[in-house]
Amino acid sequence: MQNPGNPANAPQSKKIPAAIWIAIAGGSVLFLMLSCCVCGSLPSMFANRDLERGHDLWNSGDKAGAVEAYAKAAEWTRNPLAYQRVIEYHYENGDADLARDYCRKAVKSGVTLRLTPQELQDIYNQALADHREMEEKRAAELARKEAAR
């Protein structure tokens, strides 16, 4: 009686020629390369869609809806207008903390803004100063670690 669990009794698979493996590998690499090219443009595509939607809503008077679209665009792009409208809207509607958070995000993303009123510009400037201070501390720490080697 044969033991079905015995590997010696397992059906033998046919060997796949090397040329087929090379073709499979080449096709996989090509697929990955093309996928990266397409995926690389997706953030830009989403940002443009959200920016256009934000502009349309803003121009039609739906500032709350526009700000939602601009906030989504700010996740994908460094568009100053998207950040400006989100920050100013939240500030004007009494949510200075959320405006401050978006100022920090803008600074971290490298977005330069000119905001009104001056108090809001001061909040942005403080976020910028805090970011620079943090970067200087990080650079000093790296230099100290490098010198210790």
Side-chain angles (χ1 to χ4, degrees), residues 48-83:
N48 288 338
R49 184 197 64 196
D50 291 328
L51 283 171
E52 288 177 20
R53 185 169 168 265
H55 296 325
D56 291 343
L57 291 168
W58 190 271
N59 292 333
S60 72
D62 182 3
K63 289 187 177 184
V67 165
E68 186 177 312
Y70 284 131
K72 286 181 184 177
E75 293 175 17
W76 298 101
T77 185
R78 298 178 349 181
N79 185 290
L81 181 61
Y83 279 101

Side-chain angles (χ1 to χ4, degrees), residues 95-106:
D95 198 343
D97 289 337
L98 191 51
R100 183 176 289 107
D101 288 343
Y102 274 97
C103 284
R104 289 182 188 128
K105 289 178 184 181

